[in-house]
Amino acid sequence: RRDDKLVGVVTSDDEDGLYKFVEGLKKEGKIRHIGFSTHGSAEVIMRMINSEKFEYVNIHKHFFGDYHAAGTPDTMGGQGNAACVKRALELDMGVF
């Protein structure tokens, strides 16, 4: 699946991969935090969060009429990003 490949490319530990490049920028002091922003499906967001490679996530979660940009169910049997927000907070990630 396309989503599987995308998550793999972003979170790969390959020495010449995207994550190692960004991690190197952090070690050099050029950036302070590694995170991501997304309009992807709740499944993809949850996989990115569960990789435990990120310090923050910027996702849509509304107190009134929660929705998901891709219109997909969350990973806990509901709709929207509530489960993703909950999991990110459990991992002490910043949520914006």
Coordinates of all heavy atoms in Angstrom, one line a residue:
R1 N 0.8 -1.2 0.0 CA 0.0 0.0 0.0 C 0.9 1.2 0.0 O 1.9 1.3 0.6 CB -0.9 0.0 1.2 CG -2.1 -0.9 1.2 CD -3.0 -0.8 2.4 NE -2.8 0.3 3.2 CZ -3.3 0.5 4.4 NH1 -4.0 -0.5 4.9 NH2 -3.2 1.6 5.1
R2 N 0.3 2.3 -0.6 CA 1.0 3.6 -0.7 C 1.3 4.1 0.7 O 2.4 4.6 1.0 CB 0.2 4.5 -1.5 CG 0.9 5.9 -1.7 CD 0.0 6.8 -2.6 NE 0.6 8.1 -2.7 CZ 0.2 9.1 -2.0 NH1 -0.7 9.0 -1.1 NH2 0.8 10.3 -2.1
D3 N 0.3 4.1 1.6 CA 0.5 4.6 3.0 C 1.6 3.9 3.7 O 2.4 4.5 4.4 CB -0.8 4.5 3.8 CG -1.8 5.5 3.3 OD1 -1.5 6.4 2.5 OD2 -3.0 5.3 3.6
D4 N 1.7 2.5 3.6 CA 2.7 1.8 4.2 C 4.1 2.2 3.8 O 5.0 2.4 4.6 CB 2.6 0.3 3.9 CG 1.3 -0.3 4.6 OD1 0.8 0.2 5.6 OD2 0.8 -1.4 4.0
K5 N 4.2 2.4 2.5 CA 5.5 2.9 1.9 C 5.9 4.3 2.4 O 7.0 4.5 2.8 CB 5.4 2.9 0.4 CG 6.7 3.2 -0.3 CD 6.7 3.1 -1.8 CE 8.0 3.3 -2.4 NZ 8.0 3.2 -3.8
L6 N 4.9 5.2 2.5 CA 5.1 6.5 2.9 C 5.6 6.5 4.4 O 6.6 7.2 4.7 CB 3.9 7.4 2.8 CG 4.0 8.8 3.3 CD1 5.0 9.6 2.5 CD2 2.6 9.5 3.1
V7 N 4.9 5.8 5.3 CA 5.3 5.8 6.7 C 6.7 5.2 6.8 O 7.5 5.6 7.5 CB 4.3 5.0 7.5 CG1 4.8 4.7 8.9 CG2 2.9 5.7 7.6
G8 N 7.0 4.1 6.0 CA 8.3 3.5 6.0 C 9.4 4.4 5.6 O 10.5 4.5 6.2
V9 N 9.1 5.2 4.6 CA 10.1 6.2 4.1 C 10.4 7.2 5.1 O 11.6 7.6 5.4 CB 9.7 6.9 2.8 CG1 10.5 8.1 2.4 CG2 9.7 5.9 1.6
V10 N 9.4 7.7 5.8 CA 9.6 8.8 6.8 C 10.3 8.3 8.1 O 11.1 8.9 8.6 CB 8.2 9.4 7.2 CG1 8.4 10.4 8.3 CG2 7.6 10.1 5.9
T11 N 9.9 7.1 8.5 CA 10.5 6.6 9.8 C 11.6 5.6 9.7 O 12.1 5.1 10.7 CB 9.3 5.8 10.6 OG1 8.9 4.7 9.8 CG2 8.2 6.8 10.9
S12 N 12.1 5.3 8.5 CA 13.2 4.4 8.3 C 14.5 4.8 9.0 O 14.8 6.0 9.1 CB 13.5 4.3 6.8 OG 14.7 3.6 6.6
D13 N 15.2 3.8 9.5 CA 16.5 4.1 10.2 C 17.6 3.9 9.3 O 18.8 3.9 9.7 CB 16.6 3.1 11.4 CG 15.8 3.5 12.6 OD1 15.6 4.7 12.8 OD2 15.2 2.6 13.3
D14 N 17.4 3.8 8.0 CA 18.5 3.7 7.0 C 19.4 4.9 7.1 O 18.9 6.1 7.3 CB 17.9 3.7 5.6 CG 17.2 2.4 5.2 OD1 17.3 1.4 6.0 OD2 16.5 2.4 4.2
E15 N 20.7 4.7 7.1 CA 21.7 5.8 7.3 C 21.5 6.9 6.3 O 21.8 8.1 6.6 CB 23.1 5.2 7.2 CG 23.5 4.5 8.4 CD 23.4 5.3 9.7 OE1 23.8 6.4 9.7 OE2 22.9 4.7 10.7
D16 N 21.0 6.6 5.1 CA 20.8 7.7 4.1 C 19.3 8.1 4.0 O 18.9 8.7 3.0 CB 21.3 7.3 2.7 CG 20.6 6.0 2.2 OD1 19.9 5.4 2.9 OD2 20.7 5.8 1.0
G17 N 18.5 7.8 5.0 CA 17.1 8.0 5.0 C 16.7 9.4 5.5 O 17.5 10.1 6.1
L18 N 15.5 9.8 5.3 CA 15.0 11.1 5.7 C 15.1 11.3 7.2 O 15.5 12.3 7.7 CB 13.5 11.2 5.3 CG 12.8 12.5 5.7 CD1 13.4 13.7 5.0 CD2 11.3 12.4 5.2
Y19 N 14.7 10.3 8.0 CA 14.7 10.5 9.5 C 16.1 10.7 10.0 O 16.3 11.5 10.9 CB 14.0 9.3 10.2 CG 13.9 9.6 11.7 CD1 12.8 10.3 12.2 CD2 14.8 9.1 12.6 CE1 12.7 10.7 13.5 CE2 14.7 9.4 13.9 CZ 13.7 10.2 14.4 OH 13.6 10.5 15.7
K20 N 17.0 9.9 9.5 CA 18.4 10.1 10.0 C 19.0 11.4 9.6 O 19.7 12.0 10.3 CB 19.3 9.0 9.4 CG 19.1 7.6 10.0 CD 19.6 7.6 11.4 CE 19.4 6.2 12.0 NZ 19.8 6.1 13.4
F21 N 18.5 12.0 8.4 CA 19.0 13.3 8.0 C 18.5 14.3 9.0 O 19.2 15.2 9.5 CB 18.5 13.6 6.6 CG 18.7 15.0 6.2 CD1 20.0 15.4 5.8 CD2 17.7 15.9 6.2 CE1 20.2 16.8 5.5 CE2 17.9 17.3 5.8 CZ 19.2 17.7 5.4
V22 N 17.2 14.3 9.3 CA 16.6 15.2 10.3 C 17.2 15.0 11.7 O 17.4 16.0 12.4 CB 15.0 15.1 10.3 CG1 14.4 16.0 11.3 CG2 14.5 15.4 8.9
E23 N 17.4 13.8 12.1 CA 18.0 13.5 13.4 C 19.4 14.2 13.4 O 19.8 14.7 14.5 CB 18.1 12.0 13.6 CG 18.4 11.6 15.0 CD 18.3 10.1 15.1 OE1 18.8 9.3 14.3 OE2 17.6 9.7 16.1
G24 N 20.1 14.1 12.3 CA 21.4 14.7 12.3 C 21.3 16.3 12.4 O 22.2 16.9 13.1
L25 N 20.3 16.9 11.9 CA 20.1 18.3 12.0 C 19.9 18.7 13.5 O 20.4 19.7 14.0 CB 19.0 18.8 11.2 CG 19.1 18.7 9.7 CD1 17.8 19.1 9.0 CD2 20.3 19.6 9.2
K26 N 19.2 17.8 14.2 CA 18.9 18.0 15.6 C 20.2 17.9 16.4 O 20.5 18.7 17.3 CB 17.9 17.0 16.1 CG 17.5 17.3 17.6 CD 16.4 16.4 18.0 CE 16.1 16.6 19.5 NZ 15.1 15.7 20.0
K27 N 21.0 16.9 16.1 CA 22.3 16.7 16.8 C 23.2 17.9 16.6 O 24.0 18.2 17.5 CB 22.9 15.4 16.4 CG 22.2 14.2 16.9 CD 22.8 12.9 16.4 CE 22.1 11.7 17.0 NZ 22.5 10.4 16.4
E28 N 23.1 18.5 15.4 CA 24.0 19.6 15.1 C 23.4 20.9 15.7 O 24.1 22.0 15.6 CB 24.1 19.8 13.6 CG 24.8 18.7 12.9 CD 24.7 18.8 11.4 OE1 24.3 19.9 10.8 OE2 25.0 17.9 10.7
G29 N 22.3 20.9 16.3 CA 21.6 22.0 16.9 C 20.9 22.9 16.0 O 20.5 24.1 16.3
K30 N 20.7 22.5 14.7 CA 20.0 23.3 13.7 C 18.5 23.3 13.9 O 17.8 24.2 13.4 CB 20.4 22.8 12.3 CG 21.9 23.1 12.0 CD 22.3 22.6 10.7 CE 23.8 23.0 10.5 NZ 24.2 22.5 9.2
I31 N 18.0 22.2 14.5 CA 16.6 22.2 14.9 C 16.5 21.7 16.3 O 17.4 21.0 16.8 CB 15.7 21.3 13.9 CG1 16.3 19.8 13.9 CG2 15.7 21.9 12.5 CD1 15.4 18.9 13.2
R32 N 15.4 22.0 17.0 CA 15.3 21.6 18.4 C 14.4 20.4 18.6 O 14.6 19.6 19.5 CB 14.8 22.7 19.2 CG 15.9 23.8 19.3 CD 15.5 25.0 20.1 NE 14.5 24.8 21.1 CZ 13.8 25.8 21.6 NH1 14.0 27.1 21.2 NH2 12.8 25.6 22.5
H33 N 13.4 20.2 17.7 CA 12.4 19.1 17.9 C 12.0 18.5 16.6 O 12.1 19.2 15.5 CB 11.1 19.7 18.6 CG 11.4 20.3 19.9 ND1 11.6 19.6 21.0 CD2 11.4 21.6 20.3 CE1 11.8 20.4 22.0 NE2 11.7 21.6 21.6
I34 N 11.7 17.2 16.6 CA 11.3 16.5 15.4 C 9.8 16.2 15.6 O 9.4 15.5 16.5 CB 12.1 15.3 15.1 CG1 13.6 15.6 15.0 CG2 11.6 14.5 13.9 CD1 14.5 14.4 14.9
G35 N 9.0 16.6 14.6 CA 7.6 16.3 14.7 C 7.0 16.2 13.3 O 7.7 16.3 12.3
F36 N 5.7 16.1 13.2 CA 5.1 16.1 11.9 C 3.7 16.7 11.9 O 3.0 16.7 13.0 CB 5.0 14.6 11.3 CG 4.1 13.7 12.1 CD1 2.8 13.4 11.6 CD2 4.5 13.0 13.2 CE1 1.9 12.6 12.3 CE2 3.7 12.1 13.9 CZ 2.4 11.9 13.4
S37 N 3.2 17.1 10.8 CA 1.9 17.7 10.6 C 1.3 16.8 9.5 O 2.0 16.4 8.5 CB 2.0 19.1 10.2 OG 0.7 19.7 9.9
T38 N 0.0 16.6 9.6 CA -0.6 15.7 8.6 C -2.1 15.9 8.4 O -2.8 16.4 9.3 CB -0.4 14.2 9.0 OG1 -1.0 13.4 8.0 CG2 -1.0 13.9 10.4
H39 N -2.6 15.6 7.3 CA -4.0 15.5 7.0 C -4.4 14.0 6.6 O -5.4 13.8 5.9 CB -4.4 16.4 5.8 CG -4.4 17.9 6.2 ND1 -5.4 18.5 6.8 CD2 -3.3 18.8 6.2 CE1 -5.1 19.8 7.0 NE2 -3.8 19.9 6.7
G40 N -3.5 13.1 6.9 CA -3.6 11.7 6.5 C -4.7 11.0 7.3 O -5.4 11.6 8.2
S41 N -4.9 9.8 7.0 CA -5.9 8.9 7.7 C -5.5 8.7 9.1 O -4.3 8.8 9.5 CB -6.1 7.6 7.0 OG -4.9 6.8 7.2
A42 N -6.5 8.4 10.0 CA -6.2 8.2 11.4 C -5.2 7.0 11.5 O -4.4 7.0 12.4 CB -7.5 7.9 12.2
E43 N -5.4 6.0 10.7 CA -4.5 4.8 10.7 C -3.0 5.2 10.5 O -2.1 4.8 11.2 CB -4.9 3.8 9.7 CG -4.1 2.6 9.6 CD -4.4 1.6 8.5 OE1 -5.5 1.7 7.9 OE2 -3.6 0.7 8.3
V44 N -2.8 6.0 9.5 CA -1.4 6.5 9.2 C -0.9 7.4 10.3 O 0.3 7.2 10.8 CB -1.4 7.2 7.8 CG1 0.0 7.9 7.7 CG2 -1.6 6.3 6.7
I45 N -1.7 8.3 10.8 CA -1.3 9.1 11.9 C -0.9 8.3 13.1 O 0.1 8.5 13.8 CB -2.4 10.1 12.3 CG1 -2.7 11.1 11.1 CG2 -2.0 10.9 13.6 CD1 -3.9 11.9 11.3
M46 N -1.7 7.3 13.5 CA -1.4 6.4 14.6 C -0.1 5.7 14.4 O 0.7 5.5 15.3 CB -2.6 5.5 14.9 CG -2.5 4.7 16.2 SD -2.5 5.7 17.7 CE -4.3 5.8 17.8
R47 N 0.1 5.2 13.2 CA 1.4 4.5 12.9 C 2.6 5.4 13.1 O 3.6 5.0 13.6 CB 1.4 3.9 11.5 CG 0.4 2.7 11.5 CD 0.3 2.0 10.1 NE 1.6 1.6 9.7 CZ 2.0 1.6 8.4 NH1 1.2 2.0 7.5 NH2 3.2 1.1 8.1
M48 N 2.4 6.6 12.7 CA 3.5 7.6 12.8 C 3.8 7.9 14.3 O 4.9 7.9 14.8 CB 3.2 8.9 12.1 CG 3.1 8.8 10.6 SD 4.7 8.7 9.8 CE 5.2 10.4 9.9
I49 N 2.7 8.1 15.1 CA 2.8 8.3 16.5 C 3.4 7.1 17.2 O 4.4 7.3 18.0 CB 1.4 8.6 17.1 CG1 0.9 10.0 16.6 CG2 1.4 8.6 18.7 CD1 -0.5 10.3 17.0
N50 N 3.0 5.9 16.9 CA 3.5 4.7 17.5 C 4.9 4.4 17.1 O 5.5 3.5 17.8 CB 2.5 3.5 17.3 CG 1.3 3.6 18.1 OD1 1.3 4.1 19.2 ND2 0.2 3.0 17.6
S51 N 5.4 5.0 16.1 CA 6.9 4.8 15.8 C 7.8 5.4 16.9 O 8.9 5.0 17.0 CB 7.2 5.5 14.5 OG 7.3 6.9 14.6
E52 N 7.2 6.3 17.7 CA 7.9 6.9 18.9 C 9.2 7.6 18.4 O 10.2 7.7 19.2 CB 8.2 5.9 20.0 CG 6.9 5.3 20.6 CD 7.1 4.5 21.8 OE1 8.0 4.8 22.6 OE2 6.4 3.5 22.0
K53 N 9.2 8.1 17.2 CA 10.3 8.9 16.7 C 10.1 10.4 16.7 O 11.0 11.2 16.5 CB 10.6 8.5 15.3 CG 11.1 7.1 15.2 CD 11.4 6.7 13.7 CE 11.9 5.3 13.6 NZ 13.4 5.3 13.7
F54 N 8.9 10.8 17.1 CA 8.5 12.2 17.0 C 8.2 12.8 18.4 O 7.7 12.1 19.2 CB 7.3 12.4 16.1 CG 7.6 11.8 14.7 CD1 7.2 10.6 14.3 CD2 8.4 12.5 13.8 CE1 7.4 10.0 13.1 CE2 8.6 12.0 12.5 CZ 8.2 10.8 12.2
E55 N 8.5 14.1 18.5 CA 8.3 14.8 19.8 C 7.0 15.6 19.8 O 6.5 16.0 20.8 CB 9.4 15.7 20.1 CG 10.8 15.0 20.2 CD 11.9 15.9 20.1 OE1 12.4 16.2 19.0 OE2 12.4 16.4 21.2
Y56 N 6.4 15.8 18.6 CA 5.1 16.5 18.5 C 4.4 16.1 17.2 O 5.0 15.6 16.3 CB 5.3 18.0 18.6 CG 5.9 18.6 17.3 CD1 5.1 19.0 16.2 CD2 7.3 18.8 17.3 CE1 5.7 19.6 15.1 CE2 7.9 19.4 16.1 CZ 7.1 19.7 15.1 OH 7.7 20.3 14.0
V57 N 3.1 16.4 17.3 CA 2.3 16.1 16.1 C 1.3 17.3 16.0 O 0.8 17.8 17.0 CB 1.5 14.8 16.2 CG1 0.7 14.7 17.4 CG2 0.7 14.5 14.9
N58 N 1.0 17.7 14.8 CA 0.1 18.8 14.5 C -1.1 18.2 13.7 O -0.9 17.8 12.5 CB 0.8 19.9 13.7 CG -0.2 21.1 13.4 OD1 -1.3 21.1 13.8 ND2 0.4 22.1 12.7
I59 N -2.2 17.9 14.4 CA -3.3 17.3 13.7 C -4.6 18.0 14.1 O -4.7 18.8 15.0 CB -3.5 15.8 14.1 CG1 -3.6 15.6 15.6 CG2 -2.3 15.0 13.6 CD1 -3.8 14.2 16.1
H60 N -5.7 17.7 13.3 CA -7.0 18.4 13.6 C -7.8 17.6 14.6 O -8.0 16.4 14.5 CB -7.8 18.4 12.3 CG -7.2 19.3 11.3 ND1 -6.4 18.9 10.3 CD2 -7.3 20.7 11.1 CE1 -6.0 19.9 9.6 NE2 -6.5 21.0 10.1
K61 N -8.1 18.3 15.7 CA -9.0 17.7 16.7 C -9.8 18.9 17.2 O -9.3 19.8 17.8 CB -8.2 17.1 17.8 CG -9.0 16.7 19.1 CD -9.9 15.5 18.8 CE -10.7 15.1 20.0 NZ -12.0 15.5 20.1
H62 N -11.1 18.8 17.1 CA -12.0 19.9 17.5 C -12.9 19.4 18.7 O -13.3 18.2 18.7 CB -12.9 20.3 16.4 CG -12.1 20.9 15.2 ND1 -11.8 22.2 15.1 CD2 -11.6 20.3 14.1 CE1 -11.1 22.4 14.0 NE2 -10.9 21.2 13.4
F63 N -13.1 20.3 19.6 CA -14.0 20.0 20.7 C -15.4 19.8 20.3 O -16.2 19.0 20.9 CB -13.9 21.0 21.8 CG -12.5 21.0 22.5 CD1 -11.6 22.0 22.2 CD2 -12.2 20.1 23.4 CE1 -10.3 22.0 22.8 CE2 -10.9 20.0 24.0 CZ -10.0 21.0 23.7
F64 N -15.8 20.5 19.3 CA -17.2 20.4 18.8 C -17.2 19.8 17.4 O -16.6 20.4 16.5 CB -17.9 21.8 18.8 CG -17.9 22.5 20.1 CD1 -17.0 23.5 20.4 CD2 -18.7 22.0 21.1 CE1 -17.0 24.1 21.6 CE2 -18.7 22.6 22.4 CZ -17.8 23.7 22.6
G65 N -17.8 18.7 17.2 CA -17.9 18.1 15.9 C -16.6 17.6 15.4 O -16.2 18.0 14.3
D66 N -15.9 16.7 16.1 CA -14.6 16.2 15.7 C -14.8 15.6 14.3 O -15.8 15.0 13.9 CB -14.2 15.1 16.7 CG -12.8 14.6 16.4 OD1 -12.0 15.5 16.0 OD2 -12.5 13.5 16.7
Y67 N -13.8 15.9 13.5 CA -13.7 15.3 12.1 C -12.3 14.9 11.8 O -11.4 15.2 12.5 CB -14.2 16.4 11.1 CG -13.2 17.4 10.8 CD1 -12.4 17.3 9.7 CD2 -13.0 18.5 11.7 CE1 -11.4 18.2 9.4 CE2 -12.0 19.4 11.4 CZ -11.2 19.3 10.3 OH -10.3 20.2 10.0
H68 N -12.3 14.2 10.7 CA -11.0 13.8 10.2 C -10.9 14.3 8.7 O -11.8 14.0 8.0 CB -10.8 12.3 10.3 CG -9.4 11.8 10.0 ND1 -8.9 11.8 8.7 CD2 -8.4 11.5 10.8 CE1 -7.7 11.4 8.8 NE2 -7.4 11.2 10.1
A69 N -9.8 14.9 8.4 CA -9.7 15.5 7.0 C -9.9 14.5 5.9 O -10.5 14.8 4.9 CB -8.3 16.2 6.9
A70 N -9.5 13.3 6.1 CA -9.6 12.2 5.1 C -11.0 11.5 5.3 O -11.3 10.6 4.5 CB -8.5 11.2 5.2
G71 N -11.8 11.8 6.3 CA -13.1 11.2 6.5 C -13.0 9.8 6.9 O -13.9 9.0 6.7
T72 N -11.9 9.4 7.6 CA -11.7 8.0 8.0 C -12.0 7.8 9.4 O -11.9 8.7 10.2 CB -10.3 7.5 7.7 OG1 -9.4 8.4 8.4 CG2 -9.9 7.6 6.2
P73 N -12.4 6.6 9.8 CA -12.6 6.2 11.2 C -11.3 6.2 11.9 O -10.2 6.0 11.4 CB -13.2 4.8 11.2 CG -12.9 4.3 9.8 CD -12.7 5.4 8.9
D74 N -11.4 6.5 13.3 CA -10.1 6.4 14.0 C -9.8 5.0 14.3 O -10.5 4.1 13.8 CB -10.2 7.2 15.3 CG -11.2 6.6 16.4 OD1 -11.5 5.4 16.3 OD2 -11.5 7.4 17.3
T75 N -8.8 4.7 15.0 CA -8.3 3.3 15.2 C -9.0 2.7 16.4 O -8.6 1.5 16.8 CB -6.8 3.3 15.4 OG1 -6.4 4.1 16.5 CG2 -6.1 3.8 14.2
M76 N -9.9 3.3 17.1 CA -10.6 2.8 18.3 C -12.1 2.6 18.1 O -12.8 2.6 19.0 CB -10.3 3.8 19.5 CG -8.9 4.1 19.7 SD -8.0 2.6 20.3 CE -8.6 2.5 22.0
G77 N -12.6 2.6 16.8 CA -14.0 2.4 16.5 C -14.8 3.7 16.5 O -16.0 3.6 16.3
G78 N -14.2 4.8 16.6 CA -14.9 6.1 16.5 C -14.5 6.8 15.1 O -14.1 6.2 14.2
Q79 N -14.7 8.1 15.1 CA -14.5 8.9 13.9 C -13.6 10.1 14.3 O -13.7 10.6 15.4 CB -15.8 9.4 13.4 CG -15.7 10.2 12.1 CD -15.4 9.3 10.9 OE1 -15.6 8.1 10.9 NE2 -14.9 9.9 9.8
G80 N -12.6 10.4 13.5 CA -11.8 11.6 13.7 C -10.5 11.2 14.4 O -10.0 10.0 14.3
N81 N -9.9 12.2 15.0 CA -8.5 12.0 15.5 C -8.4 11.9 17.0 O -7.3 12.0 17.6 CB -7.6 13.2 15.1 CG -7.3 13.2 13.6 OD1 -7.1 12.1 13.1 ND2 -7.3 14.3 13.0
A82 N -9.5 11.7 17.7 CA -9.5 11.6 19.2 C -8.5 10.5 19.7 O -7.7 10.8 20.6 CB -10.9 11.4 19.7
A83 N -8.5 9.3 19.1 CA -7.6 8.3 19.5 C -6.2 8.6 19.3 O -5.3 8.3 20.1 CB -8.0 7.0 18.8
C84 N -5.9 9.3 18.2 CA -4.5 9.8 17.9 C -4.0 10.8 18.9 O -2.9 10.7 19.4 CB -4.4 10.3 16.5 SG -4.7 9.1 15.2
V85 N -4.9 11.7 19.3 CA -4.5 12.7 20.3 C -4.3 12.0 21.6 O -3.2 12.3 22.3 CB -5.6 13.8 20.4 CG1 -5.4 14.7 21.6 CG2 -5.7 14.6 19.1
K86 N -5.1 11.1 22.0 CA -5.0 10.4 23.3 C -3.7 9.7 23.3 O -2.9 9.7 24.3 CB -6.1 9.4 23.5 CG -6.0 8.7 24.7 CD -7.2 7.7 24.9 CE -7.0 6.9 26.2 NZ -8.0 5.9 26.4
R87 N -3.3 8.9 22.2 CA -2.1 8.2 22.2 C -0.9 9.1 22.2 O 0.1 8.8 22.9 CB -2.0 7.3 20.9 CG -0.8 6.5 20.8 CD -0.7 5.4 21.9 NE 0.5 4.7 21.8 CZ 1.3 4.2 22.7 NH1 1.0 4.5 24.0 NH2 2.4 3.5 22.5
A88 N -0.9 10.2 21.5 CA 0.2 11.1 21.5 C 0.5 11.7 22.9 O 1.6 11.8 23.3 CB 0.0 12.2 20.5
L89 N -0.6 12.0 23.6 CA -0.5 12.5 25.0 C 0.1 11.4 25.9 O 0.9 11.7 26.8 CB -1.8 13.1 25.4 CG -2.3 14.3 24.7 CD1 -3.7 14.7 25.2 CD2 -1.3 15.5 24.9
E90 N -0.3 10.2 25.7 CA 0.2 9.1 26.5 C 1.7 9.0 26.3 O 2.4 8.6 27.3 CB -0.4 7.7 26.1 CG -1.9 7.6 26.5 CD -2.5 6.4 25.9 OE1 -1.9 5.6 25.1 OE2 -3.7 6.1 26.3
L91 N 2.2 9.3 25.1 CA 3.7 9.2 24.8 C 4.4 10.5 25.2 O 5.5 10.7 24.8 CB 3.9 8.8 23.4 CG 3.4 7.4 23.0 CD1 3.6 7.2 21.5 CD2 4.2 6.4 23.8
D92 N 3.6 11.5 25.8 CA 4.2 12.8 26.2 C 4.6 13.6 25.0 O 5.6 14.3 25.1 CB 5.3 12.6 27.2 CG 5.6 13.9 28.0 OD1 4.7 14.7 28.2 OD2 6.8 14.1 28.4
M93 N 3.9 13.4 23.9 CA 4.2 14.2 22.7 C 3.5 15.5 22.8 O 2.4 15.6 23.4 CB 3.7 13.5 21.4 CG 4.5 12.3 21.0 SD 3.8 11.4 19.6 CE 4.1 12.6 18.3
G94 N 4.0 16.6 22.2 CA 3.3 17.8 22.1 C 2.2 17.6 21.0 O 2.4 16.9 20.0
V95 N 1.0 18.2 21.2 CA -0.1 18.1 20.3 C -0.6 19.5 20.0 O -0.9 20.2 20.9 CB -1.2 17.2 20.8 CG1 -2.4 17.2 19.9 CG2 -0.8 15.8 21.2
F96 N -0.5 19.8 18.7 CA -1.0 21.1 18.2 C -2.1 21.0 17.2 O -2.1 20.1 16.5 CB 0.2 21.9 17.6 CG 1.4 22.0 18.5 CD1 2.4 21.1 18.4 CD2 1.5 23.0 19.4 CE1 3.5 21.2 19.2 CE2 2.6 23.1 20.2 CZ 3.6 22.2 20.2

